[in-house]
PDB file of all heavy atoms in Angstrom:
ATOM      1  N   LEU K 273       2.137  -0.017 -12.783  1.00 84.00           N
ATOM      2  CA  LEU K 273       1.629  -1.179 -13.533  1.00 84.00           C
ATOM      3  C   LEU K 273       1.350  -0.689 -14.956  1.00 84.00           C
ATOM      4  O   LEU K 273       0.980   0.483 -15.220  1.00 84.00           O
ATOM      5  CB  LEU K 273       0.468  -1.824 -12.938  1.00 84.00           C
ATOM      6  CG  LEU K 273       0.591  -2.537 -11.632  1.00 84.00           C
ATOM      7  CD1 LEU K 273      -0.694  -2.905 -11.030  1.00 84.00           C
ATOM      8  CD2 LEU K 273       1.543  -3.794 -11.905  1.00 84.00           C
ATOM      9  N   SER K 274       1.486  -1.550 -15.992  1.00 84.00           N
ATOM     10  CA  SER K 274       0.943  -1.225 -17.287  1.00 84.00           C
ATOM     11  C   SER K 274      -0.514  -1.233 -17.416  1.00 84.00           C
ATOM     12  O   SER K 274      -1.251  -1.806 -16.531  1.00 84.00           O
ATOM     13  CB  SER K 274       1.627  -2.243 -18.369  1.00 84.00           C
ATOM     14  OG  SER K 274       1.061  -3.485 -18.002  1.00 84.00           O
ATOM     15  N   ALA K 275      -1.053  -0.624 -18.398  1.00 84.00           N
ATOM     16  CA  ALA K 275      -2.527  -0.512 -18.580  1.00 84.00           C
ATOM     17  C   ALA K 275      -3.131  -1.887 -18.716  1.00 84.00           C
ATOM     18  O   ALA K 275      -4.163  -2.214 -18.143  1.00 84.00           O
ATOM     19  CB  ALA K 275      -2.867   0.360 -19.785  1.00 84.00           C
ATOM     20  N   SER K 276      -2.468  -2.753 -19.516  1.00 85.00           N
ATOM     21  CA  SER K 276      -3.008  -4.118 -19.657  1.00 85.00           C
ATOM     22  C   SER K 276      -2.942  -4.923 -18.377  1.00 85.00           C
ATOM     23  O   SER K 276      -3.950  -5.582 -18.048  1.00 85.00           O
ATOM     24  CB  SER K 276      -2.196  -4.858 -20.769  1.00 85.00           C
ATOM     25  OG  SER K 276      -0.814  -4.951 -20.442  1.00 85.00           O
ATOM     26  N   ASP K 277      -1.902  -4.842 -17.628  1.00 87.00           N
ATOM     27  CA  ASP K 277      -1.860  -5.540 -16.336  1.00 87.00           C
ATOM     28  C   ASP K 277      -2.936  -4.991 -15.376  1.00 87.00           C
ATOM     29  O   ASP K 277      -3.479  -5.794 -14.653  1.00 87.00           O
ATOM     30  CB  ASP K 277      -0.498  -5.439 -15.768  1.00 87.00           C
ATOM     31  CG  ASP K 277       0.633  -6.213 -16.520  1.00 87.00           C
ATOM     32  OD1 ASP K 277       0.169  -7.151 -17.247  1.00 87.00           O
ATOM     33  OD2 ASP K 277       1.827  -5.993 -16.386  1.00 87.00           O
ATOM     34  N   SER K 278      -3.095  -3.775 -15.360  1.00 88.00           N
ATOM     35  CA  SER K 278      -4.009  -3.098 -14.428  1.00 88.00           C
ATOM     36  C   SER K 278      -5.467  -3.556 -14.729  1.00 88.00           C
ATOM     37  O   SER K 278      -6.287  -3.893 -13.833  1.00 88.00           O
ATOM     38  CB  SER K 278      -3.965  -1.564 -14.443  1.00 88.00           C
ATOM     39  OG  SER K 278      -4.374  -1.159 -15.691  1.00 88.00           O
ATOM     40  N   ILE K 279      -5.744  -3.669 -15.975  1.00 88.00           N
ATOM     41  CA  ILE K 279      -7.158  -4.170 -16.334  1.00 88.00           C
ATOM     42  C   ILE K 279      -7.375  -5.629 -16.001  1.00 88.00           C
ATOM     43  O   ILE K 279      -8.422  -6.035 -15.345  1.00 88.00           O
ATOM     44  CB  ILE K 279      -7.389  -3.875 -17.886  1.00 88.00           C
ATOM     45  CG1 ILE K 279      -7.491  -2.423 -18.194  1.00 88.00           C
ATOM     46  CG2 ILE K 279      -8.668  -4.622 -18.266  1.00 88.00           C
ATOM     47  CD1 ILE K 279      -7.706  -2.130 -19.615  1.00 88.00           C
ATOM     48  N   LEU K 280      -6.338  -6.520 -16.200  1.00 89.00           N
ATOM     49  CA  LEU K 280      -6.459  -7.852 -15.813  1.00 89.00           C
ATOM     50  C   LEU K 280      -6.546  -8.035 -14.282  1.00 89.00           C
ATOM     51  O   LEU K 280      -7.379  -8.771 -13.744  1.00 89.00           O
ATOM     52  CB  LEU K 280      -5.218  -8.659 -16.291  1.00 89.00           C
ATOM     53  CG  LEU K 280      -5.366 -10.132 -16.084  1.00 89.00           C
ATOM     54  CD1 LEU K 280      -6.467 -10.772 -16.884  1.00 89.00           C
ATOM     55  CD2 LEU K 280      -3.954 -10.744 -16.524  1.00 89.00           C
ATOM     56  N   LEU K 281      -5.799  -7.298 -13.544  1.00 89.00           N
ATOM     57  CA  LEU K 281      -5.893  -7.301 -12.116  1.00 89.00           C
ATOM     58  C   LEU K 281      -7.176  -6.746 -11.614  1.00 89.00           C
ATOM     59  O   LEU K 281      -7.682  -7.242 -10.522  1.00 89.00           O
ATOM     60  CB  LEU K 281      -4.667  -6.482 -11.446  1.00 89.00           C
ATOM     61  CG  LEU K 281      -3.319  -7.239 -11.653  1.00 89.00           C
ATOM     62  CD1 LEU K 281      -2.226  -6.231 -11.126  1.00 89.00           C
ATOM     63  CD2 LEU K 281      -3.262  -8.528 -10.982  1.00 89.00           C
ATOM     64  N   GLY K 282      -7.721  -5.721 -12.248  1.00 90.00           N
ATOM     65  CA  GLY K 282      -9.026  -5.258 -11.923  1.00 90.00           C
ATOM     66  C   GLY K 282     -10.137  -6.249 -12.064  1.00 90.00           C
ATOM     67  O   GLY K 282     -10.993  -6.409 -11.258  1.00 90.00           O
ATOM     68  N   ALA K 283     -10.091  -6.958 -13.228  1.00 90.00           N
ATOM     69  CA  ALA K 283     -10.991  -8.145 -13.408  1.00 90.00           C
ATOM     70  C   ALA K 283     -10.836  -9.136 -12.398  1.00 90.00           C
ATOM     71  O   ALA K 283     -11.900  -9.775 -11.911  1.00 90.00           O
ATOM     72  CB  ALA K 283     -10.740  -8.737 -14.776  1.00 90.00           C
ATOM     73  N   LEU K 284      -9.642  -9.449 -11.938  1.00 91.00           N
ATOM     74  CA  LEU K 284      -9.394 -10.420 -10.866  1.00 91.00           C
ATOM     75  C   LEU K 284      -9.998  -9.965  -9.567  1.00 91.00           C
ATOM     76  O   LEU K 284     -10.614 -10.692  -8.776  1.00 91.00           O
ATOM     77  CB  LEU K 284      -7.884 -10.734 -10.746  1.00 91.00           C
ATOM     78  CG  LEU K 284      -7.526 -11.624  -9.545  1.00 91.00           C
ATOM     79  CD1 LEU K 284      -8.047 -13.064  -9.773  1.00 91.00           C
ATOM     80  CD2 LEU K 284      -5.940 -11.751  -9.471  1.00 91.00           C
ATOM     81  N   ALA K 285      -9.872  -8.638  -9.290  1.00 91.00           N
ATOM     82  CA  ALA K 285     -10.503  -8.066  -8.014  1.00 91.00           C
ATOM     83  C   ALA K 285     -11.945  -8.236  -8.066  1.00 91.00           C
ATOM     84  O   ALA K 285     -12.609  -8.579  -7.070  1.00 91.00           O
ATOM     85  CB  ALA K 285     -10.082  -6.562  -7.916  1.00 91.00           C
ATOM     86  N   ILE K 286     -12.546  -8.003  -9.215  1.00 91.00           N
ATOM     87  CA  ILE K 286     -14.038  -8.142  -9.263  1.00 91.00           C
ATOM     88  C   ILE K 286     -14.452  -9.589  -9.105  1.00 91.00           C
ATOM     89  O   ILE K 286     -15.420  -9.938  -8.492  1.00 91.00           O
ATOM     90  CB  ILE K 286     -14.562  -7.601 -10.647  1.00 91.00           C
ATOM     91  CG1 ILE K 286     -14.317  -6.080 -10.703  1.00 91.00           C
ATOM     92  CG2 ILE K 286     -16.050  -7.897 -10.821  1.00 91.00           C
ATOM     93  CD1 ILE K 286     -14.704  -5.473 -12.062  1.00 91.00           C
ATOM     94  N   LEU K 287     -13.642 -10.537  -9.660  1.00 90.00           N
ATOM     95  CA  LEU K 287     -13.930 -11.928  -9.463  1.00 90.00           C
ATOM     96  C   LEU K 287     -13.903 -12.333  -7.981  1.00 90.00           C
ATOM     97  O   LEU K 287     -14.814 -13.075  -7.505  1.00 90.00           O
ATOM     98  CB  LEU K 287     -12.955 -12.792 -10.254  1.00 90.00           C
ATOM     99  CG  LEU K 287     -13.010 -14.275 -10.123  1.00 90.00           C
ATOM    100  CD1 LEU K 287     -14.379 -14.861 -10.620  1.00 90.00           C
ATOM    101  CD2 LEU K 287     -11.881 -14.965 -10.859  1.00 90.00           C
ATOM    102  N   ILE K 288     -12.861 -11.741  -7.357  1.00 91.00           N
ATOM    103  CA  ILE K 288     -12.726 -12.028  -5.824  1.00 91.00           C
ATOM    104  C   ILE K 288     -13.948 -11.510  -5.088  1.00 91.00           C
ATOM    105  O   ILE K 288     -14.446 -12.187  -4.197  1.00 91.00           O
ATOM    106  CB  ILE K 288     -11.395 -11.475  -5.322  1.00 91.00           C
ATOM    107  CG1 ILE K 288     -10.186 -12.277  -6.006  1.00 91.00           C
ATOM    108  CG2 ILE K 288     -11.305 -11.648  -3.737  1.00 91.00           C
ATOM    109  CD1 ILE K 288      -8.889 -11.636  -5.664  1.00 91.00           C
ATOM    110  N   ALA K 289     -14.434 -10.320  -5.501  1.00 90.00           N
ATOM    111  CA  ALA K 289     -15.555  -9.707  -4.812  1.00 90.00           C
ATOM    112  C   ALA K 289     -16.792 -10.601  -5.123  1.00 90.00           C
ATOM    113  O   ALA K 289     -17.601 -10.852  -4.197  1.00 90.00           O
ATOM    114  CB  ALA K 289     -15.779  -8.378  -5.333  1.00 90.00           C
ATOM    115  N   ALA K 290     -16.951 -11.075  -6.299  1.00 90.00           N
ATOM    116  CA  ALA K 290     -18.043 -12.008  -6.601  1.00 90.00           C
ATOM    117  C   ALA K 290     -17.982 -13.257  -5.797  1.00 90.00           C
ATOM    118  O   ALA K 290     -19.016 -13.862  -5.424  1.00 90.00           O
ATOM    119  CB  ALA K 290     -18.087 -12.259  -8.099  1.00 90.00           C
ATOM    120  N   ILE K 291     -16.771 -13.735  -5.619  1.00 90.00           N
ATOM    121  CA  ILE K 291     -16.611 -15.050  -4.857  1.00 90.00           C
ATOM    122  C   ILE K 291     -17.034 -14.847  -3.303  1.00 90.00           C
ATOM    123  O   ILE K 291     -17.631 -15.658  -2.685  1.00 90.00           O
ATOM    124  CB  ILE K 291     -15.067 -15.430  -4.877  1.00 90.00           C
ATOM    125  CG1 ILE K 291     -14.854 -16.023  -6.379  1.00 90.00           C
ATOM    126  CG2 ILE K 291     -14.884 -16.641  -3.914  1.00 90.00           C
ATOM    127  CD1 ILE K 291     -13.359 -16.387  -6.519  1.00 90.00           C
ATOM    128  N   ALA K 292     -16.752 -13.650  -2.897  1.00 87.00           N
ATOM    129  CA  ALA K 292     -17.091 -13.345  -1.479  1.00 87.00           C
ATOM    130  C   ALA K 292     -18.423 -13.003  -1.163  1.00 87.00           C
ATOM    131  O   ALA K 292     -18.957 -13.038   0.003  1.00 87.00           O
ATOM    132  CB  ALA K 292     -16.122 -12.260  -0.966  1.00 87.00           C
ATOM    133  N   TYR K 293     -19.241 -12.557  -2.139  1.00 83.00           N
ATOM    134  CA  TYR K 293     -20.596 -11.970  -1.937  1.00 83.00           C
ATOM    135  C   TYR K 293     -21.558 -12.960  -1.310  1.00 83.00           C
ATOM    136  O   TYR K 293     -22.390 -12.473  -0.467  1.00 83.00           O
ATOM    137  CB  TYR K 293     -21.105 -11.298  -3.191  1.00 83.00           C
ATOM    138  CG  TYR K 293     -22.121 -12.100  -3.965  1.00 83.00           C
ATOM    139  CD1 TYR K 293     -23.417 -12.170  -3.732  1.00 83.00           C
ATOM    140  CD2 TYR K 293     -21.663 -12.947  -4.992  1.00 83.00           C
ATOM    141  CE1 TYR K 293     -24.375 -12.823  -4.483  1.00 83.00           C
ATOM    142  CE2 TYR K 293     -22.526 -13.744  -5.787  1.00 83.00           C
ATOM    143  CZ  TYR K 293     -23.868 -13.649  -5.562  1.00 83.00           C
ATOM    144  OH  TYR K 293     -24.676 -14.413  -6.219  1.00 83.00           O
ATOM    145  N   PRO K 294     -21.563 -14.250  -1.600  1.00 82.00           N
ATOM    146  CA  PRO K 294     -22.644 -15.108  -0.933  1.00 82.00           C
ATOM    147  C   PRO K 294     -22.420 -15.172   0.600  1.00 82.00           C
ATOM    148  O   PRO K 294     -23.418 -15.063   1.361  1.00 82.00           O
ATOM    149  CB  PRO K 294     -22.371 -16.480  -1.503  1.00 82.00           C
ATOM    150  CG  PRO K 294     -21.698 -16.184  -2.850  1.00 82.00           C
ATOM    151  CD  PRO K 294     -20.845 -14.978  -2.625  1.00 82.00           C
ATOM    152  N   LYS K 295     -21.129 -15.112   1.095  1.00 76.00           N
ATOM    153  CA  LYS K 295     -20.940 -15.104   2.578  1.00 76.00           C
ATOM    154  C   LYS K 295     -21.375 -13.779   3.154  1.00 76.00           C
ATOM    155  O   LYS K 295     -22.036 -13.796   4.230  1.00 76.00           O
ATOM    156  CB  LYS K 295     -19.537 -15.460   2.828  1.00 76.00           C
ATOM    157  CG  LYS K 295     -19.027 -16.800   2.414  1.00 76.00           C
ATOM    158  CD  LYS K 295     -19.696 -17.867   3.229  1.00 76.00           C
ATOM    159  CE  LYS K 295     -19.147 -19.238   2.977  1.00 76.00           C
ATOM    160  NZ  LYS K 295     -19.816 -20.327   3.699  1.00 76.00           N
ATOM    161  N   LEU K 296     -21.099 -12.721   2.484  1.00 73.00           N
ATOM    162  CA  LEU K 296     -21.449 -11.354   2.988  1.00 73.00           C
ATOM    163  C   LEU K 296     -22.932 -11.277   2.968  1.00 73.00           C
ATOM    164  O   LEU K 296     -23.531 -10.711   3.906  1.00 73.00           O
ATOM    165  CB  LEU K 296     -20.728 -10.292   2.178  1.00 73.00           C
ATOM    166  CG  LEU K 296     -19.253 -10.240   2.347  1.00 73.00           C
ATOM    167  CD1 LEU K 296     -18.669  -9.196   1.370  1.00 73.00           C
ATOM    168  CD2 LEU K 296     -18.733 -10.001   3.709  1.00 73.00           C
ATOM    169  N   LEU K 297     -23.593 -11.686   1.945  1.00 66.00           N
ATOM    170  CA  LEU K 297     -25.034 -11.593   1.797  1.00 66.00           C
ATOM    171  C   LEU K 297     -25.732 -12.415   2.832  1.00 66.00           C
ATOM    172  O   LEU K 297     -26.766 -12.019   3.412  1.00 66.00           O
ATOM    173  CB  LEU K 297     -25.501 -12.012   0.374  1.00 66.00           C
ATOM    174  CG  LEU K 297     -26.907 -11.818   0.016  1.00 66.00           C
ATOM    175  CD1 LEU K 297     -27.265 -10.392   0.017  1.00 66.00           C
ATOM    176  CD2 LEU K 297     -27.194 -12.461  -1.244  1.00 66.00           C
ATOM    177  N   LYS K 298     -25.157 -13.577   3.211  1.00 63.00           N
ATOM    178  CA  LYS K 298     -25.796 -14.389   4.184  1.00 63.00           C
ATOM    179  C   LYS K 298     -25.802 -13.779   5.592  1.00 63.00           C
ATOM    180  O   LYS K 298     -26.637 -13.866   6.410  1.00 63.00           O
ATOM    181  CB  LYS K 298     -25.139 -15.793   4.229  1.00 63.00           C
ATOM    182  CG  LYS K 298     -25.759 -16.808   5.054  1.00 63.00           C
ATOM    183  CD  LYS K 298     -25.093 -18.182   5.004  1.00 63.00           C
ATOM    184  CE  LYS K 298     -25.760 -19.158   5.940  1.00 63.00           C
ATOM    185  NZ  LYS K 298     -25.066 -20.466   5.786  1.00 63.00           N
ATOM    186  N   ARG K 299     -24.645 -13.018   5.848  1.00 53.00           N
ATOM    187  CA  ARG K 299     -24.460 -12.295   7.206  1.00 53.00           C
ATOM    188  C   ARG K 299     -25.466 -11.180   7.274  1.00 53.00           C
ATOM    189  O   ARG K 299     -26.077 -10.888   8.303  1.00 53.00           O
ATOM    190  CB  ARG K 299     -23.090 -11.889   7.311  1.00 53.00           C
ATOM    191  CG  ARG K 299     -22.099 -13.006   7.472  1.00 53.00           C
ATOM    192  CD  ARG K 299     -20.674 -12.525   7.733  1.00 53.00           C
ATOM    193  NE  ARG K 299     -19.679 -13.554   7.739  1.00 53.00           N
ATOM    194  CZ  ARG K 299     -18.389 -13.363   7.904  1.00 53.00           C
ATOM    195  NH1 ARG K 299     -17.897 -12.155   7.876  1.00 53.00           N
ATOM    196  NH2 ARG K 299     -17.594 -14.406   8.034  1.00 53.00           N
ATOM    197  N   LYS K 300     -25.557 -10.403   6.205  1.00 50.00           N
ATOM    198  CA  LYS K 300     -26.367  -9.081   6.227  1.00 50.00           C
ATOM    199  C   LYS K 300     -27.806  -9.387   6.009  1.00 50.00           C
ATOM    200  O   LYS K 300     -28.701  -8.747   6.678  1.00 50.00           O
ATOM    201  CB  LYS K 300     -25.821  -8.141   5.138  1.00 50.00           C
ATOM    202  CG  LYS K 300     -24.344  -7.726   5.373  1.00 50.00           C
ATOM    203  CD  LYS K 300     -24.189  -6.970   6.592  1.00 50.00           C
ATOM    204  CE  LYS K 300     -22.789  -6.460   6.704  1.00 50.00           C
ATOM    205  NZ  LYS K 300     -22.491  -5.629   7.950  1.00 50.00           N
ATOM    206  N   SER K 301     -28.123 -10.282   5.052  1.00 49.00           N
ATOM    207  CA  SER K 301     -29.546 -10.586   4.804  1.00 49.00           C
ATOM    208  C   SER K 301     -29.717 -12.029   4.454  1.00 49.00           C
ATOM    209  O   SER K 301     -29.499 -12.451   3.307  1.00 49.00           O
ATOM    210  CB  SER K 301     -29.940  -9.754   3.498  1.00 49.00           C
ATOM    211  OG  SER K 301     -31.274 -10.002   3.141  1.00 49.00           O
ATOM    212  N   PRO K 302     -30.021 -12.819   5.482  1.00 42.00           N
ATOM    213  CA  PRO K 302     -30.173 -14.235   5.340  1.00 42.00           C
ATOM    214  C   PRO K 302     -31.065 -14.607   4.139  1.00 42.00           C
ATOM    215  O   PRO K 302     -32.172 -14.031   4.035  1.00 42.00           O
ATOM    216  CB  PRO K 302     -30.685 -14.705   6.693  1.00 42.00           C
ATOM    217  CG  PRO K 302     -30.240 -13.646   7.621  1.00 42.00           C
ATOM    218  CD  PRO K 302     -30.371 -12.410   6.878  1.00 42.00           C
ATOM    219  N   THR K 303     -30.647 -15.554   3.312  1.00 45.00           N
ATOM    220  CA  THR K 303     -31.478 -15.955   2.159  1.00 45.00           C
ATOM    221  C   THR K 303     -32.088 -17.319   2.424  1.00 45.00           C
ATOM    222  O   THR K 303     -32.218 -18.105   1.393  1.00 45.00           O
ATOM    223  CB  THR K 303     -30.759 -16.021   0.910  1.00 45.00           C
ATOM    224  OG1 THR K 303     -29.567 -16.813   1.097  1.00 45.00           O
ATOM    225  CG2 THR K 303     -30.193 -14.519   0.559  1.00 45.00           C
ATOM    226  N   SER K 304     -32.417 -17.650   3.646  1.00 47.00           N
ATOM    227  CA  SER K 304     -32.955 -18.987   3.943  1.00 47.00           C
ATOM    228  C   SER K 304     -34.256 -19.275   3.220  1.00 47.00           C
ATOM    229  O   SER K 304     -34.642 -20.408   2.980  1.00 47.00           O
ATOM    230  CB  SER K 304     -33.152 -19.170   5.403  1.00 47.00           C
ATOM    231  OG  SER K 304     -33.959 -18.222   5.984  1.00 47.00           O
ATOM    232  N   GLY K 305     -35.035 -18.228   2.819  1.00 52.00           N
ATOM    233  CA  GLY K 305     -36.405 -18.426   2.131  1.00 52.00           C
ATOM    234  C   GLY K 305     -36.155 -18.525   0.612  1.00 52.00           C
ATOM    235  O   GLY K 305     -37.115 -18.735  -0.074  1.00 52.00           O
ATOM    236  N   ALA K 306     -34.903 -18.311   0.184  1.00 64.00           N
ATOM    237  CA  ALA K 306     -34.669 -18.370  -1.327  1.00 64.00           C
ATOM    238  C   ALA K 306     -34.747 -19.855  -1.788  1.00 64.00           C
ATOM    239  O   ALA K 306     -34.207 -20.752  -1.182  1.00 64.00           O
ATOM    240  CB  ALA K 306     -33.403 -17.773  -1.680  1.00 64.00           C
ATOM    241  N   ASP K 307     -35.355 -20.047  -2.936  1.00 74.00           N
ATOM    242  CA  ASP K 307     -35.439 -21.384  -3.560  1.00 74.00           C
ATOM    243  C   ASP K 307     -34.280 -21.417  -4.554  1.00 74.00           C
ATOM    244  O   ASP K 307     -34.256 -20.860  -5.631  1.00 74.00           O
ATOM    245  CB  ASP K 307     -36.811 -21.519  -4.154  1.00 74.00           C
ATOM    246  CG  ASP K 307     -36.894 -22.903  -4.825  1.00 74.00           C
ATOM    247  OD1 ASP K 307     -36.059 -23.738  -4.660  1.00 74.00           O
ATOM    248  OD2 ASP K 307     -37.919 -23.130  -5.501  1.00 74.00           O
ATOM    249  N   TRP K 308     -33.370 -22.369  -4.277  1.00 81.00           N
ATOM    250  CA  TRP K 308     -32.141 -22.452  -5.242  1.00 81.00           C
ATOM    251  C   TRP K 308     -32.629 -23.064  -6.583  1.00 81.00           C
ATOM    252  O   TRP K 308     -31.944 -22.792  -7.580  1.00 81.00           O
ATOM    253  CB  TRP K 308     -31.059 -23.306  -4.652  1.00 81.00           C
ATOM    254  CG  TRP K 308     -31.445 -24.829  -4.326  1.00 81.00           C
ATOM    255  CD1 TRP K 308     -31.898 -25.340  -3.286  1.00 81.00           C
ATOM    256  CD2 TRP K 308     -31.309 -25.810  -5.324  1.00 81.00           C
ATOM    257  NE1 TRP K 308     -32.131 -26.695  -3.437  1.00 81.00           N
ATOM    258  CE2 TRP K 308     -31.768 -27.030  -4.756  1.00 81.00           C
ATOM    259  CE3 TRP K 308     -30.861 -25.926  -6.679  1.00 81.00           C
ATOM    260  CZ2 TRP K 308     -31.773 -28.220  -5.423  1.00 81.00           C
ATOM    261  CZ3 TRP K 308     -30.918 -27.143  -7.328  1.00 81.00           C
ATOM    262  CH2 TRP K 308     -31.321 -28.346  -6.701  1.00 81.00           C
ATOM    263  N   ARG K 309     -33.669 -23.816  -6.500  1.00 82.00           N
ATOM    264  CA  ARG K 309     -34.278 -24.366  -7.830  1.00 82.00           C
ATOM    265  C   ARG K 309     -34.699 -23.245  -8.683  1.00 82.00           C
ATOM    266  O   ARG K 309     -34.513 -23.222  -9.960  1.00 82.00           O
ATOM    267  CB  ARG K 309     -35.357 -25.315  -7.492  1.00 82.00           C
ATOM    268  CG  ARG K 309     -34.919 -26.578  -6.714  1.00 82.00           C
ATOM    269  CD  ARG K 309     -36.144 -27.468  -6.345  1.00 82.00           C
ATOM    270  NE  ARG K 309     -35.700 -28.526  -5.482  1.00 82.00           N
ATOM    271  CZ  ARG K 309     -35.555 -28.419  -4.164  1.00 82.00           C
ATOM    272  NH1 ARG K 309     -35.818 -27.186  -3.499  1.00 82.00           N
ATOM    273  NH2 ARG K 309     -35.204 -29.411  -3.356  1.00 82.00           N
ATOM    274  N   LEU K 310     -35.360 -22.212  -8.161  1.00 82.00           N
ATOM    275  CA  LEU K 310     -35.846 -21.101  -8.992  1.00 82.00           C
ATOM    276  C   LEU K 310     -34.686 -20.289  -9.488  1.00 82.00           C
ATOM    277  O   LEU K 310     -34.638 -19.797 -10.625  1.00 82.00           O
ATOM    278  CB  LEU K 310     -36.840 -20.342  -8.147  1.00 82.00           C
ATOM    279  CG  LEU K 310     -37.321 -19.016  -8.969  1.00 82.00           C
ATOM    280  CD1 LEU K 310     -38.006 -19.407 -10.212  1.00 82.00           C
ATOM    281  CD2 LEU K 310     -38.361 -18.281  -8.025  1.00 82.00           C
ATOM    282  N   MET K 311     -33.712 -20.120  -8.564  1.00 85.00           N
ATOM    283  CA  MET K 311     -32.450 -19.391  -8.921  1.00 85.00           C
ATOM    284  C   MET K 311     -31.801 -20.076 -10.117  1.00 85.00           C
ATOM    285  O   MET K 311     -31.270 -19.492 -11.062  1.00 85.00           O
ATOM    286  CB  MET K 311     -31.545 -19.255  -7.745  1.00 85.00           C
ATOM    287  CG  MET K 311     -30.300 -18.363  -8.025  1.00 85.00           C
ATOM    288  SD  MET K 311     -29.138 -18.317  -6.699  1.00 85.00           S
ATOM    289  CE  MET K 311     -30.147 -17.544  -5.466  1.00 85.00           C
ATOM    290  N   LYS K 312     -31.678 -21.399 -10.030  1.00 87.00           N
ATOM    291  CA  LYS K 312     -31.056 -22.174 -11.156  1.00 87.00           C
ATOM    292  C   LYS K 312     -31.902 -22.118 -12.348  1.00 87.00           C
ATOM    293  O   LYS K 312     -31.343 -22.023 -13.586  1.00 87.00           O
ATOM    294  CB  LYS K 312     -30.936 -23.654 -10.685  1.00 87.00           C
ATOM    295  CG  LYS K 312     -30.199 -24.542 -11.717  1.00 87.00           C
ATOM    296  CD  LYS K 312     -29.927 -25.924 -11.101  1.00 87.00           C
ATOM    297  CE  LYS K 312     -29.264 -26.800 -12.072  1.00 87.00           C
ATOM    298  NZ  LYS K 312     -29.013 -28.118 -11.556  1.00 87.00           N
ATOM    299  N   CYS K 313     -33.182 -22.192 -12.211  1.00 85.00           N
ATOM    300  CA  CYS K 313     -34.061 -22.041 -13.460  1.00 85.00           C
ATOM    301  C   CYS K 313     -33.818 -20.750 -14.118  1.00 85.00           C
ATOM    302  O   CYS K 313     -33.649 -20.725 -15.355  1.00 85.00           O
ATOM    303  CB  CYS K 313     -35.526 -22.178 -13.002  1.00 85.00           C
ATOM    304  SG  CYS K 313     -36.692 -21.892 -14.288  1.00 85.00           S
ATOM    305  N   MET K 314     -33.741 -19.677 -13.409  1.00 86.00           N
ATOM    306  CA  MET K 314     -33.519 -18.322 -14.036  1.00 86.00           C
ATOM    307  C   MET K 314     -32.174 -18.263 -14.648  1.00 86.00           C
ATOM    308  O   MET K 314     -31.944 -17.695 -15.729  1.00 86.00           O
ATOM    309  CB  MET K 314     -33.794 -17.265 -13.035  1.00 86.00           C
ATOM    310  CG  MET K 314     -35.188 -17.215 -12.450  1.00 86.00           C
ATOM    311  SD  MET K 314     -35.346 -15.764 -11.276  1.00 86.00           S
ATOM    312  CE  MET K 314     -35.162 -14.387 -12.418  1.00 86.00           C
ATOM    313  N   GLY K 315     -31.147 -18.839 -13.982  1.00 90.00           N
ATOM    314  CA  GLY K 315     -29.802 -18.747 -14.473  1.00 90.00           C
ATOM    315  C   GLY K 315     -29.778 -19.612 -15.764  1.00 90.00           C
ATOM    316  O   GLY K 315     -29.070 -19.163 -16.725  1.00 90.00           O
ATOM    317  N   LEU K 316     -30.268 -20.801 -15.772  1.00 90.00           N
ATOM    318  CA  LEU K 316     -30.225 -21.600 -17.022  1.00 90.00           C
ATOM    319  C   LEU K 316     -30.954 -20.982 -18.135  1.00 90.00           C
ATOM    320  O   LEU K 316     -30.515 -21.026 -19.324  1.00 90.00           O
ATOM    321  CB  LEU K 316     -30.857 -22.951 -16.677  1.00 90.00           C
ATOM    322  CG  LEU K 316     -29.960 -23.904 -15.710  1.00 90.00           C
ATOM    323  CD1 LEU K 316     -30.775 -25.163 -15.465  1.00 90.00           C
ATOM    324  CD2 LEU K 316     -28.610 -24.127 -16.320  1.00 90.00           C
TER     325      LEU K 316
END
């Protein structure tokens, strides 16, 4: 692969990992006590 294509594909791989992390996190460490409102407040 070219250097430019490899960097773009690498960014895509990180995006896929970010998409998958909520499901993995829920299995390993349940976040039932987390307040999504506070999470949204911090994100905003």
Side-chain angles (χ1 to χ4, degrees):
L273 293 172
S274 65
S276 58
D277 289 340
S278 66
I279 291 177
L280 184 65
L281 290 175
L284 178 60
I286 293 174
L287 175 63
I288 294 174
I291 291 174
Y293 96 88
K295 293 295 184 181
L296 297 176
L297 187 64
K298 187 175 181 180
R299 292 178 182 178
K300 298 294 184 181
S301 176
T303 57
S304 58
D307 181 7
W308 66 267
R309 297 174 184 83
L310 179 56
M311 185 184 297
K312 182 173 181 178
C313 176
M314 297 185 65
L316 292 177

